[in-house]
Amino acid sequence: MNSADEETPAAFDLGRIASETFLQSIDFHETLASTNDRGLQLANDPFVVTPSLVLTAAQTGGRGRGANRWWSAAGALTFSVLVNPDAVELPVSRHPQISLAVGVAVCEALRQRFPQGDIGLKWPNDVFLHNKKVCGILVEVPPQRRDILVIGIGLNVNNSLKSAPAELQATATSLSDTVGNKFELTEILIDILQMLERRLDWLSASDPQLARRWEELSLLRGKTVYIENHQHDIAGICQGIDEEGGLLLRTPSGIERVTHGIVKHFQ
Ligand code: BTN
């Protein structure tokens, strides 16, 4: 593993990231296919240190939820955080809430930096900025190490969506596209990691503030929401997100509680 005191690459100040966050270790690569793939690989090491960060300046084969790919270009933040839920007292039954907790952390970190920004959470964990997706989150459990979580976060920062595939340009944005200037990636990353630690603490302590926060940040309440999932697609009017992280939809046949799936559309 690279450590924070090795040569610091231009785009990231690894020393600052190590000293100002809860991380015990940083695995930095100039280029990497997928930080989640690398995180899953590291998790197979019985001596893997957690919490740790896998970070790359250029992710070339990013994965999204389901079969989706994650597009990114130079200037994007792409990273994965490895945590050991036992060490932070998160029983397996609560893993679904982790996605929401991570989404809350990213929203709050961005809101702190951009108080005027219109930043919200699309259940379970997409972060939107001015009605377009700015951040995607992929939480995975390594098949061989059910005690470790790999929390992958992709945030469009200084990369412009003008260079993205056409279908993304209508639905996604970056901080620089929206705000109009460039940002220090190290600063944004530290903000997110610090907030992630605090929100994972809320999660492990079953702090009721966390559910209140995801409800406040949710963009879906009162909207008609179309969900695609393995069993059957569902559409209904969103009544909120419950304390266990389930999405409550009013449908013609009553209230449906949705725990899995992808929101394809909301209006
Ligand atoms: C989604 O919205 O579908 C989730 C996207 C998650 C993308 C991030 S980028 C860092 C990490 N590595 C990956 O391969 N994927 C996640």
Side-chain angles (χ1 to χ4, degrees), residues 33-37 59 61-65 68-70 77-80 126 133 135-138 152-154:
S34 156
T35 59
N36 262 42
D37 285 349
Q59 182 171 260
R63 292 188 291 108
R65 294 178 68 209
N68 294 341
R69 311 273 300 163
W70 179 255
L77 261 183
T78 48
F79 62 98
S80 302
D126 289 344
K133 180 163 168 170
C135 173
I137 292 162
L138 179 66
I153 299 178

Side-chain angles (χ1 to χ4, degrees), residues 42-256:
L42 290 174
N44 280 329
D45 177 347
F47 301 108
V48 66
V49 175
T50 58
S52 62
L53 174 72
V54 179
L55 178 65
T56 184
Q59 182 171 260
T60 55
R63 292 188 291 108
R65 294 178 68 209
N68 294 341
R69 311 273 300 163
W70 179 255
W71 172 85
S72 56
L77 261 183
T78 48
F79 62 98
S80 302
V81 182
L82 276 67
V83 294
N84 177 343
D86 290 332
V88 291
E89 293 168 21
L90 293 176
V92 171
S93 60
R94 302 190 62 216
H95 285 185
Q97 298 168 29
I98 292 169
S99 291
L100 277 163
V102 178
V104 165
V106 175
C107 280
E108 291 192 303
L110 295 180
R111 279 190 171 193
Q112 240 175 25
R113 192 163 277 273
F114 310 107
Q116 316 300 336
D118 176 12
I119 295 158
L121 184 63
K122 189 190 87 172
W123 180 93
N125 56 13
D126 289 344
V127 177
F128 272 49
L129 173 65
H130 294 228
N131 301 316
K132 288 183 165 182
K133 180 163 168 170
V134 71
C135 173
I137 292 162
L138 179 66
V139 180
E140 296 185 297
V141 181
Q144 315 303 330
R145 281 295 299 268
R146 308 301 296 179
D147 58 333
I148 288 189
L149 288 170
V150 178
I151 299 171
I153 299 178
L155 176 67
N156 297 321
V157 182
N158 296 325
N159 51 320
S160 174
L161 270 286
K162 291 189 188 100
S163 63
E167 67 274 15
L168 276 185
Q169 294 185 18
T171 57
T173 190
S174 70
L175 295 183
S176 63
D177 279 347
T178 304
V179 181
N181 47 284
K182 300 282 184 195
F183 298 92
E184 185 59 56
L185 291 178
T186 296
E187 300 272 350
I188 307 268
L189 178 59
I190 289 173
D191 284 354
I192 292 173
L193 292 167
Q194 289 179 343
M195 194 59 82
L196 184 64
E197 180 188 14
R198 287 153 66 184
R199 296 303 163 253
L200 289 177
D201 282 350
W202 274 5
L203 188 69
S204 45
S206 299
D207 191 319
Q209 291 184 87
L210 183 58
R212 283 205 292 276
R213 205 54 66 83
W214 66 52
E215 186 61 29
E216 280 162 21
L217 289 165
S218 174
L219 296 171
L220 302 184
R221 179 173 267 277
K223 300 271 169 64
T224 302
V225 177
Y226 300 84
I227 305 264
E228 192 178 81
N229 77 13
H230 302 307
Q231 288 89 35
H232 62 294
D233 294 354
I234 307 169
I237 299 172
C238 178
Q239 308 298 294
I241 304 170
D242 68 17
E243 283 163 15
E244 273 76 49
L247 187 72
L248 304 174
L249 295 185
R250 183 154 48 79
T251 72
S253 53
I255 299 288
E256 288 234 26

